[in-house]
Amino acid sequence: MKGKKHLFTGLVVGLIIGWALGFLRLPYLEKNYSFLLGFITALAVVSLVLLLLTAWNKCFLLGLMNKRMVKEDAKNTRTHVFTWAILAGVVVLGGIAVGWTIYRGYESLKLQIQHQDKQIQEMAALSAVVQESALKPLLHSLLEDVGEELKRNPRRTLRDTTIARIAALSVAFQPYPSIEGDSLSRQAYSPERGQLLQALVLMNIDPGTFGQIKRHTLFVGADLRGADLKGLNLSGINLRGANLEGTDLHGTNLKEADLREANLWGANLNQAVLNQANLKRADLSWAQLNEATLSLANLDEAILSNAQLKKADLYDATFQWAQLGGALFQEANLTSVYFVGTNFTKVNLTQANLNSTDLRKANFSEAVLVGVQLNKAVVDKNWPEKLQQWQATGAQKIQEDYEVVNDSIDQFKLQIYRLRKMEKN
């Protein structure tokens, strides 16, 4: 009777502890059902231990009570212990079987939910495609009306009502994910907005009229992959989140354009005008920006891995926390650029002008700094020592030509250190 009481007490305590653990780990249980299997198995193991202890205590007590037990009593005791062991094994196997069944059920339900989510996403994408297909006749009709109006007007201007129609239709062309193989694309783009822009730039519209179109028409998320937009005046255009992968923008005027989070991977931006453009978080990996002008441009957190910016003018631009790994900046004008936290790993800065730049917390690991100008550049106090650690090419020459001086105090009352070129005797 006492053994049963102990067994019952142990099971109750185990259940209370298990319930407490399950309650505290509930958010984890929702994501990892194997914890439930382990929990049930642990309860089964605890039950086994308690049952075996009870059987051992019974055997031990019987031995103390009757040290001269006859063979028949010993046989009964062994049978009793064997029965308890079988019962414990059944409990353990039953607990494992129940736990495994629950686990498999949860996994099956999880797969069903994932499959349903995928079907819902694909249906939503197909619905968007159907909706956009229904709007395509409106696009063709609008472009035909625009063409007819331009033919009748030698000045190539458009009425305000026509510009309003263009703007209204662009709003309807919402970006949507496309189906690629058996899955959905990560990014949502609008092929129709891309087609609208390409059609308009081919119509030789009056610059003033085209300026109004750019101000009122939405080209956000436009899909312009591989488009030919070279030499155009797209100043002030809103192409935020647009797909410009491999697009030809050679010599294009993109002054004050909104290109935040745009995909410009491998785009041709040689000799393009990007003064005061917003390229925050844009992807310019492998893009060509040779001899481009980006004065006062915002490239914070942008990715320019392996991009080419030879002889580019980036006066007073910002590159805070940008990724420039492997980029080429030979002979580039980087005067007064804000480079705080920028990654210059393996960047080639041969003959670049970095006078008055802010290089605090920047990383120049294996960078090429041959012939760079660094006069009045803001740096960390131990910047010359860091150059040695970074194994930057040209580091020794910089250490010979420049010294770190305490320049002033910033708005947060922190010391500002600058590099000063030492005069040769």
Side-chain angles (χ1 to χ4, degrees), residues 163-173 216-217:
I163 296 174
R165 283 181 61 194
I166 295 172
L169 192 59
S170 70
V171 175
F173 288 141
H216 297 98
T217 307

Side-chain angles (χ1 to χ4, degrees), residues 57-242:
N57 289 335
K58 283 181 174 291
C59 182
F60 183 74
L61 289 173
L62 286 173
L64 291 176
M65 291 173 62
N66 189 5
K67 293 184 179 180
R68 298 178 180 180
M69 67 170 54
V70 295
K71 291 184 178 181
E72 187 67 25
D73 291 337
K75 183 178 180 181
N76 291 336
T77 302
R78 287 194 298 270
T79 303
H80 188 70
V81 172
F82 183 69
T83 302
W84 275 97
I86 292 176
L87 179 60
V90 170
V91 171
V92 171
L93 292 176
I96 294 174
V98 171
W100 177 254
T101 303
I102 296 173
Y103 172 73
R104 295 301 302 173
Y106 275 126
E107 286 296 313
S108 177
L109 180 61
K110 183 179 178 181
L111 290 174
Q112 290 179 8
I113 293 173
Q114 290 177 347
H115 182 66
Q116 290 176 357
D117 288 343
K118 183 178 179 180
Q119 287 182 327
I120 291 172
Q121 290 176 351
E122 290 178 351
M123 289 175 63
L126 288 172
S127 176
V129 171
V130 171
Q131 181 180 0
E132 297 300 330
S133 299
L135 292 171
K136 281 185 177 180
L138 296 177
L139 173 61
H140 294 311
S141 175
L142 173 65
L143 293 176
E144 288 179 0
D145 293 344
V146 170
E148 290 297 326
E149 187 172 338
L150 291 173
K151 287 180 182 178
R152 295 192 300 268
N153 191 340
R155 294 185 300 170
R156 310 294 291 180
T157 59
L158 296 172
R159 294 173 298 175
D160 291 341
T161 54
T162 304
I163 296 174
R165 283 181 61 194
I166 295 172
L169 192 59
S170 70
V171 175
F173 288 141
Q174 292 293 322
Y176 55 89
S178 58
I179 299 176
E180 299 176 352
D182 58 349
S183 60
L184 292 176
S185 61
R186 291 184 177 181
Q187 299 294 329
Y189 297 115
S190 174
E192 292 73 25
R193 287 179 180 174
Q195 294 168 14
L196 175 61
L197 178 58
Q198 292 182 76
L200 291 172
V201 298
L202 292 173
M203 289 183 172
N204 192 26
I205 301 173
D206 170 73
T209 300
F210 191 60
Q212 293 183 54
I213 292 173
K214 287 186 295 182
R215 285 193 296 272
H216 297 98
T217 307
L218 280 179
F219 295 110
V220 175
D223 193 346
L224 292 157
R225 280 175 288 185
D228 184 358
L229 300 174
K230 62 177 178 290
L232 298 175
N233 182 5
L234 299 178
S235 58
I237 195 169
N238 188 350
L239 287 168
R240 181 174 183 176

Side-chain angles (χ1 to χ4, degrees), residues 344-349 364-369 390-394:
F344 283 94
T345 301
K346 296 183 179 180
V347 170
N348 192 331
L349 290 156
F364 285 86
S365 296
E366 300 181 56
V368 179
L369 301 170
W390 289 324
Q391 298 181 345
T393 304

